[in-house]
Amino acid sequence: MVFNAKKRLTLSAGVAAGLAALLEGCSSTPVPPMSPSAPALPPAPGAPVASVPPAPPADPRVPPPAPREFRAAWVSTVANIDWPSRGNLPVAKQQAEALAILDRARLLNLNAIVLQVRPSADAIYPSELEPWSEFLTGQQGRPPAPAWDPLQFWIEQAHARGLELHAWFNPYRARHATARTPLAANHIARRRPDVVKPYGRYLWMDPGEAAASQHTLDVVLDVVHRYDIDGVHIDDYFYPYPIDTANAAGPEGVALDAGVGARQELEFPDQPSWQRYLLGGGTLDRAHWRRQNVNALIEAMYTGIRKEKAWVRFGISPFGIGRPDKRPPGIVGFSQYDKLYADAELWLANGWLDYLAPQLYWPVAQAPQAFDVLLDYWLAQNTRARHVWPGLYTSRIDNSAKAFAPEEIVKQIGVTRSRNGVRGHLHFSIAALMENRKGIADQLRTQAYQTAALTPPTPWLGAEPPGAPQAAARRESNGVALKLSPGGGKPATHYAIWSRYGNEWRFAVAPASRPVLLLADDAAGGAAQMVVVSAVDRLGNESERINVYARS
């Protein structure tokens, strides 16, 4: 796909033009204080609307609030769904593919990538706890040659583009059905075969085994400690999706499309850990015991992340339909509460996460699993006011019988924006956007993501803003050149930049690591008349805004 390069440069505040030096131009002056949060979105359909007086005319000297929306895409490494395109690619090719994904995300005005770093008790980064993934190197346990750290590369390159990087872990899966190479000697199924169980064509760590859960916790906290990630993310695989034969690969598609599990389910083989629990005096029934096992890991993970790095957000992406006894009338389908033993409602109620990304993988018009009804359900459960950012099934834009039209995804984004309490969404997966299936990337860029957006703030993790930046500006022959530097206090990760062309304010975001920018003249709007800048920290807190430039 092709976009107007000059216009894109203007909208992205120059993205970082290579200016060698800037004169110390006009002084930075404070802008009247404004609320750092976006204006309230319209209420849900049917909600009462209070009568309010008309707003006073906007002051053309004051820019509007910054757009706020978490816009992310999942990048799957398992089975080489998204990256790398196959195992054992040359390092240069792997890096080129990663950069292409990040560049596309930046071009589309996304602001986060959720990268799968642990597909099946393995790693796409150097680890003393788990072996290298075969989906990266072609053979489990074989390090890349020449040696490099893919996760560090992704983090550095994402941050250089102003994108967040959330590390995505599968908590219990120990071997995927598509795996082909032997288990490495340091894989948990070789080191601790007592805590790993075969289930169909998978190997699965038993959540009832304390050693298995501790291992997963250790892996997650090791990454939090060693890497500058912005978030930890886990998916919908807790206890496995039930299967009906020992040779099955897993009925996730059945649960999604038909809303029911396997007709004759094969019991998960956790009898040893269950019996040990009973002999130790446990009083819960088996279903509640299984849920307690998962709950204990979720709570420990949230607490551990907070202690290690308080700013790293913890997100969970469960199956999108709630427990049967709480569902809205007319909603039917697979029960993660009864089959995966995932009590997502409890995690929300207890505040054991910073964002919930329920996989709402059905169209708005599909009444038994209607996207908007399910979104309202999860919002009603969100009594602790955590972020609710639904997952969208963008990859269902394909040639299957149940394919989505691109307009369905654009419509779903519109639904999220119509609800108070929703400031974001995630696309599964990046492949559909990379391929621009049926023009979906074009539609998002021109309709849904016309401008950049800051991620919403997370005040329960910290609400202190960074200091206002220092700034200088100079008129160049082709635009306004900016030189930005951090102010005092908390470090900033981004600069929010407003530029006024005529009566139109345009918004852009630049990473703090690229402080020299060019706001290019626009063919339609001419030269920028005013420029206002603020600093933003990694929790989305915005500093005081400063006037950087005013054309005389």
Side-chain angles (χ1 to χ4, degrees), residues 137-148:
T137 68
Q139 180 176 334
Q140 187 176 99
R142 181 168 64 193
W148 72 301

Side-chain angles (χ1 to χ4, degrees), residues 103 218 252 327 380 455 526 540:
D103 287 341
D218 291 344
E252 296 91 333
R327 294 175 186 173
T455 57

Side-chain angles (χ1 to χ4, degrees), residues 295-318:
N295 292 341
L297 177 61
I298 298 299
E299 182 181 15
M301 201 174 294
Y302 188 68
T303 302
I305 294 167
R306 293 284 71 74
K307 290 180 179 178
E308 185 63 45
K309 288 179 182 174
W311 60 87
V312 173
R313 283 152 292 164
F314 180 38
I316 305 177
S317 179

